Structure formats: C-alpha cells, structure tokens
Amino acid sequence: MKKYQQVAEAIARQIREGRYGLGERLPSVREVCGRFGISMSTAQAAFRLLEDQALAQARPGAGFYVSFRGTPQVPVEGPARYEVHNRMLQVLSWCAQPGITDLGTAVLSPGLLPRAALSKLLARQARFEMATVLQPLFSGGHPPLRHEISKRLILQGIELGESEVLVTGGCQDAISLALSAIARAGDTIAVESPCFPGLLQVIESLGMKVLEIPCSPRQGISVEALQLALARWQVAALVLCPDFSNPTGSQMPLANRQRLLALARQYDLAIIEDDLFSELQEPGKGIPALKALDTDGRVIYCSSVAKSLGSGLRLGWLCGGRYHGDIAKLKAFRNVSEPMIIQALVAEFMASGGYSRHLGSLGKRLQLNLKKLSNWVEQAFPGQTQIGRPEGGFVLWVTLPGIDSGQLLSLAVAEGVAFFPGDVFSGAGQYNHCLRLSGAFDDDDKTQKAVAVLGRLAHSLL
C-alpha cells in the first residue's frame, strides 16, 4: 500500500475497533502529520480515502469527524432465539399496499427486467418443448441449467462440475436447505449484523438461535469480533454475504476473506456464502468468492436469479462442498425438483448469451440508480445523515441523526411511501436509527418525490 493508504488503514482500524465513537473528532491533519511523519498532502489524501470509505466526514473549519459506529470487540448479545416474522409481515404489508411508493422491498422493478427476451423464449418452449417441461425430474436439477451455472461460477473463481451444483427454489431455499443439513434446532448460527431479515426468518423457522456479529458498512463482518465469539460460544455455522451485503452494501476485502477461512478451519466452522449481488458490479472489480478460496470444502455457496431476472422465478442453486451429499438427500425428500419450465427457460437464456448481456446493462443502471438515490437522500434528509456508498448491488443503508426509523415509517405510510426500518435487520432491537432503501427502481421522478417526502418527515422528527 501507498503511504496515505497505510495511514488511512491505521485510523480506520481505530474507528472500527471503537476507539473513536460516532461523531467524535479525529486527529487534525497537522496531528496526523506529526504522528506518522508524513506531509500535509499525504495526510489530506488519507482523510479523503476515509471519506470515500464512509468512515470520516469533513466539517468546514472544524476538521474531520467519525461517521461510522465503531465495531465493538465482542457481540453485544449472546446467542438468542429471535421472533421477527410478525414484524416483517407488517412491514411487507405496508410496502405492498395500493398507492404506496415502495422504497423498501429489494426486488427489481418491472422496467428493469428482460421481459421481451424471456417472453420470446417462453413462447418457443410452449410451442416446441411442452412435452419435455411437463415431465418430472428426479435429480439435482435440469442438466443444461446446471451446466450453464457451472460455467458462470468460473467468473467468481469457482471451478466445479455440474454434478456439484444443486438447483433450489431460490437463494433463501438454498440457505434453508444448507442449515437444515448441517445444524439442528437449538444450535447457534452466526450472522452479520445488521442482517437480512429473510435470513432471520429462516433461522427462526428452524428453531435455531442467532448470534449477531458486528460488521462495518465498508468491509463487512468483523473477523476479530467473530473470533472472540467463537472462543466463547459453540457455533454450528456462519451465514454471510461477502459481496454487497444486504442491507449495508459492504464488500469484504480479500485479506479478511482469507483470515475468515483460516478461522473457520481452526474452529471447524461451516460457512454458508450468500452470493446474490456479486455479478451486479463493474466488470473486472470482483474479488474471488469465499468458495473460490475454500480448500477443504467447508463453504456452501448459494445464489439465485432473484436479483437479476426477478424474484418471481424462485430459482436458485447451491454448491455444498463436503456437505453436498447430505443437502441433496434432504432436497430430494423435500420437493423433488423445481418447475422444469422455469429451469429450461433460464438455462436457454444463459446459453444464448442473453443473460450476460442483460447483467451488463442492469449492473450499470443499478449503479446509476444508487448514485441518484444517494444524492436525493443527501439533498432531502437532515444534516449529519450518513449514507452508505456501495459499489455493487442495489440497496442503500442510511443512518439517521437521532430519528427513530420505525416512527418515520408510520408517518411515511400515511403519506404513501414505505421503506424497511432498521429494527427488522436485527433480532436484538438494534438499528432503530437506520433504514434501507432500494435502488432497483425504474421511475426516477416517482422515486425522487418519495425520497423528498421521507426527508421532509425526517426533518419534522429531528
């Protein structure tokens, strides 16, 4: 690393460890020069990098202040059974109400989907392949689809044959299958915190306990906090999303991935990798998946087309490593196979090259949407509002200055706008001052107006 990067990393480490609290003033540029023996320009470059990482914020005439809550050295709460299902149903029902502008549900708007291309392929299947797609399939999935998935895995650095791919009813189904195969009711599952509420619901439905591990909005799960947790509690598995985690949009650095895998080997920990968003980034910027770095088969890789072709298809896959046989056996008894017509449709779309072309244009559009959304929030919300800066995916994590996001949601729904409040991303009642917005919109004007409504209501609550 260059000198300014080394200095920025040293300060960032202190922030993540909680040595500087949220809103606390950081050392001045002059103090950093003296401490590290560097020039003013190098110190200024280090602070610019901290700003880019959403760790520090400049205040004109006052210096730089912490804009991220530091990672505590141990999880705040121990393993616990959480009940989040009823709260999630309430939030989802508000988002689905007629006349509501839904900024919360992380699904692609219709205008972002390749409807014409899929309609053409579906019509051809209905005309020429109906007899085939109506037949049951007693295997790990439609062979052409598994073949196409195995080819796409190479883009993530994963080299596996199609026999090592199991088709599932979406990514959440894949995670549920994996957890059912490697853990039992009462076991403890470690998760990122904040955590995707759908995962908390899955763990709740299986009767397992949750252990929330703190993570940063830039670098993901704290390996240090996880290590301390593993030394203290018995953990059956870890579930995480290394690339553009939902809801923070964080991306785990390569060095942290390697440290995590070493820790997993030390504690014989199974890892379930949720990889829904890695393809929705600029080509050439990807980091190898955890599965690509795994040398002893302990990583179960899960993904789907939910964030690229639409959640309604309910089609995903997993690669189970050393646990693959047990998961496949469980899957066979659960629902035999996913609908053949959907498997054949997705397989042909991938084989034709249409899927890759669609991902290229979709990724660019979503990144543009996130930039617009960030700008709208910055313009409309109160000062000191902190905004995540994800480089992939399409969710935006917003931290409010002393405002309860649940109260904000109640007011917003009355004015025709809904979002996901921070409390649904933790079973321990954390993140009441945060909210998540979706950048998967296809109507700029409607979305900007909805953000303006949220901003006005947030000012009224400040």
Side-chain angles (χ1 to χ4, degrees):
M1 291 190 294
K2 295 181 179 180
K3 189 63 177 178
Y4 79 93
Q5 293 174 316
Q6 295 175 10
V7 173
E9 176 56 30
I11 299 174
R13 189 181 307 113
Q14 294 177 327
I15 295 173
R16 289 193 294 269
E17 291 174 353
R19 298 183 190 181
Y20 293 102
L22 177 65
E24 186 175 344
R25 187 178 183 276
L26 290 167
S28 68
V29 172
R30 191 174 299 278
E31 289 171 330
V32 169
C33 289
R35 181 184 302 179
F36 293 95
I38 57 177
S39 66
M40 292 284 284
S41 60
T42 301
Q44 289 168 345
F47 277 113
R48 284 197 297 270
L49 180 57
L50 290 171
E51 284 189 290
D52 290 341
Q53 295 173 343
L55 293 173
Q57 184 178 50
R59 296 184 187 175
F64 290 87
Y65 289 76
V66 176
S67 60
F68 162 66
R69 291 183 183 275
T71 299
Q73 286 298 293
V74 293
V76 177
E77 302 286 344
R81 283 191 172 88
Y82 290 156
E83 296 182 2
V84 299
H85 182 68
N86 291 339
R87 173 60 169 160
M88 271 305 301
L89 287 181
Q90 180 187 50
V91 172
L92 287 170
S93 68
W94 282 338
C95 290
Q97 282 183 12
I100 288 285
T101 299
D102 177 14
L103 300 180
T105 311
V107 298
L108 296 173
S109 296
L112 302 179
L113 300 175
R115 292 176 294 175
L118 292 178
S119 295
K120 185 177 180 180
L121 290 175
L122 192 59
R124 197 189 71 79
Q125 284 186 344
R127 184 175 181 183
F128 298 109
E129 300 178 27
M130 186 57 71
T132 300
V133 299
L134 290 178
Q135 296 301 310
L137 188 68
F138 301 98
S139 73
H142 186 40
L145 175 60
R146 294 162 73 190
H147 177 68
E148 292 301 323
I149 291 171
S150 69
K151 290 197 301 183
R152 297 205 64 81
L153 289 175
I154 297 175
L155 301 175
Q156 314 303 321
I158 303 170
E159 297 187 17
L160 295 173
E162 58 189 72
S163 63
E164 298 172 275
V165 175
L166 179 67
V167 178
T168 66
C171 190
Q172 202 159 314
D173 180 48
I175 293 173
S176 178
L177 279 166
L179 285 173
S180 298
I182 63 178
R184 299 179 180 179
D187 284 351
T188 296
I189 309 301
V191 302
E192 297 169 291
S193 183
C195 177
F196 169 56
L199 173 58
L200 296 176
Q201 286 177 289
V202 168
I203 296 173
E204 176 186 338
S205 70
L206 295 174
M208 298 174 184
K209 298 177 183 178
V210 172
L211 178 61
E212 295 190 26
I213 307 297
C215 65
S216 85
R218 293 293 297 181
Q219 299 195 345
I221 195 166
S222 167
V223 181
E224 295 84 359
L226 176 63
Q227 183 172 8
L228 291 167
L230 293 175
R232 184 174 180 182
W233 294 295
Q234 184 69 38
V235 178
L238 165 68
V239 186
L240 80 165
C241 180
D243 288 293
F244 316 117
S245 181
N246 184 356
T248 63
S250 64
Q251 186 173 36
M252 197 175 189
L254 177 60
N256 287 18
R257 299 180 192 221
Q258 294 168 330
R259 290 170 56 209
L260 174 61
L261 289 171
L263 189 63
R265 287 192 291 271
Q266 178 184 345
Y267 285 91
D268 193 24
L269 178 69
I271 298 177
I272 300 175
E273 179 178 16
D274 177 350
D275 188 29
L276 278 175
F277 296 101
S278 66
E279 291 189 309
L280 299 177
Q281 64 178 316
E282 186 177 334
K285 284 194 172 183
I287 301 174
L290 280 176
K291 185 66 177 175
L293 304 171
D294 179 26
T295 58
D296 55 357
R298 69 177 60 256
V299 175
I300 303 171
Y301 179 90
C302 303
S303 189
S304 83
V305 297
K307 306 306 180 187
S308 55
L309 297 182
S311 300
L313 290 177
R314 307 313 306 164
L315 189 68
W317 53 88
L318 67 79
C319 305
R322 64 169 71 174
Y323 314 102
H324 195 85
D326 292 336
I327 298 173
K329 185 184 297 183
L330 183 63
K331 171 79 167 69
F333 284 102
R334 180 175 291 190
N335 69 342
V336 185
S337 72
E338 309 315 317
M340 265 292 295
I341 191 167
I342 295 176
Q343 294 190 63
L345 174 66
V346 174
E348 189 166 351
F349 193 45
M350 288 181 173
S352 68
Y355 186 65
S356 293
R357 290 191 296 272
H358 167 65
L359 281 177
S361 61
L362 177 63
K364 292 177 182 177
R365 172 65 186 271
L366 291 173
Q367 283 305 293
L368 179 60
N369 279 6
L370 279 178
K371 290 178 182 178
K372 291 178 180 177
L373 186 60
S374 298
N375 290 336
W376 296 336
V377 171
E378 192 170 18
Q379 293 164 10
F381 277 58
Q384 307 307 311
T385 296
Q386 299 168 38
I387 307 168
R389 304 290 180 183
E391 297 182 359
F394 56 77
V395 294
L396 190 68
W397 188 241
V398 179
T399 303
L400 302 168
I403 298 171
D404 186 299
S405 59
Q407 187 179 2
L408 178 62
L409 177 61
S410 298
L411 295 176
V413 169
E415 296 204 25
V417 181
F419 58 86
F420 272 28
D423 65 279
V424 302
F425 297 94
S426 167
Q430 303 182 69
Y431 313 113
N432 290 330
H433 57 292
C434 300
L435 59 90
R436 188 196 74 184
L437 302 175
S438 171
F441 54 85
D442 58 8
D443 188 330
D444 287 16
D445 185 58
K446 181 180 179 181
T447 304
Q448 185 175 12
K449 289 179 179 177
V451 171
V453 170
L454 293 183
R456 173 171 54 79
L457 294 174
H459 275 283
S460 73
L461 291 174
L462 190 62

